[in-house]
Structures are given as C-alpha cells and as structure tokens.
Amino acid sequence: MSESISIKQTIVVRARPDVLYRLALEPRRRVKWDPNLAKADYEGENARLANNALVRFKFTRRLLGLSFTAKYGQLQAPQRGGWESVRHVGPLEKLTQGWVFKPMPGGTEVTFSLNARVRYGWVRTPVERVLNNMVATTLLELQRTVDAQGAQLMEDMGREMQERRKAEQKAAKEAAKAAKKKR
C-alpha cells in the first residue's frame, strides 16, 4: 500500500518572478546552486524548457545518489512550473515538484511544493524527513543565490562610488594647486 507525502513551503525572495522561474526550473542553472542535485540535464535533442521535455536528474549522495527521469508540465512562464518523475525514484512510486511565483511589492512570493508517493509504508517517516530537509535547503539556497547576486551588485556599486569620489577629490586638489600657482 502506497502512502502520500505532501510538502509545501513559501518564502519571499527579493527578485523578479522571471529570474526565479529560470533559476528554479532550468536544469542547467538549477544544478549550479541547488545542493541537492549532483546532475541535471535535458534528454534528447529538444534541449529547452518546455512542456513534456524530459530531464535526467541525479541527487547527491546525501539523498542516496538516486537518478531518475522527469517530465516537465504546467509551465506558464513566469508564474508556475514543475515536473513529475516518469518512473519510480528509489523508494518512491512518484515524485512531483511544483513552483509558483507570485509577484508582490519588493520581490516575489515563491511557493515550492513537493509530492511523493511512497512504495513501502515502513519507509515513509525517514523519507518524509529527508524530503522536508530537501525542500527547506532548496528554498534557502535559492534565497542565498539571489541575495548573493544582489550583494555583489551592491558591493560593486559601492566600490565604483568610492573610486569616483577619490577621482573627484584628486581633481579638486589639482584644481586648487593650479589656482594657487596662478596667484
């Protein structure tokens, strides 16, 4: 008898929905920031984010290194998207993942939902714990990735402002020297 696990968490991220949509759903981008994925790439020649596109995922060793194929569906850029496993994933009959991006003032409300059907009842509790941890770390890393980009941008802008201020001070000193020499 299979048992279902449903996990849904929401956070607010300071970024536009289209940026978050690509980060969360594009496999090649996601594998760069998500610590739960070891590999993620499209299968076949149709290598783009589209409904019914097949993607091959591989979890990290912490998640037993499970490999599986998933099919994208419900893609509506930049509001929602997700995928569903084609065959069973280790102890799971089915694994589905969904993302919803709702724009709001100052950022985007991101809702990440994960649904799984466990093949064996006795493994439900440890699997649910692992999946809860996976959802939480994925959302935290998404937040951290977006904020790291924003933090880097702020740091670069601060450095540019400082350099501009130094250049202006140097020009003012030289102008003052030139004015003294004219006297």
Side-chain angles (χ1 to χ4, degrees), residues 52-110:
N52 297 322
L54 293 177
V55 177
R56 189 101 181 113
F57 287 107
K58 181 176 173 72
F59 286 136
T60 56
R61 292 181 67 195
R62 191 170 43 89
L63 296 170
L64 305 176
L66 297 171
S67 292
F68 63 98
T69 303
K71 183 169 79 173
Y72 275 102
Q74 301 175 354
L75 295 176
Q76 292 179 341
Q79 287 106 14
R80 72 175 65 244
W83 52 257
E84 176 178 281
S85 64
V86 176
R87 285 183 287 288
H88 68 274
V89 181
L92 303 173
E93 260 178 45
K94 189 166 272 318
L95 180 64
T96 61
Q97 207 178 80
W99 293 85
V100 177
F101 307 98
K102 196 161 104 184
M104 56 187 301
T108 303
E109 185 181 88
V110 179

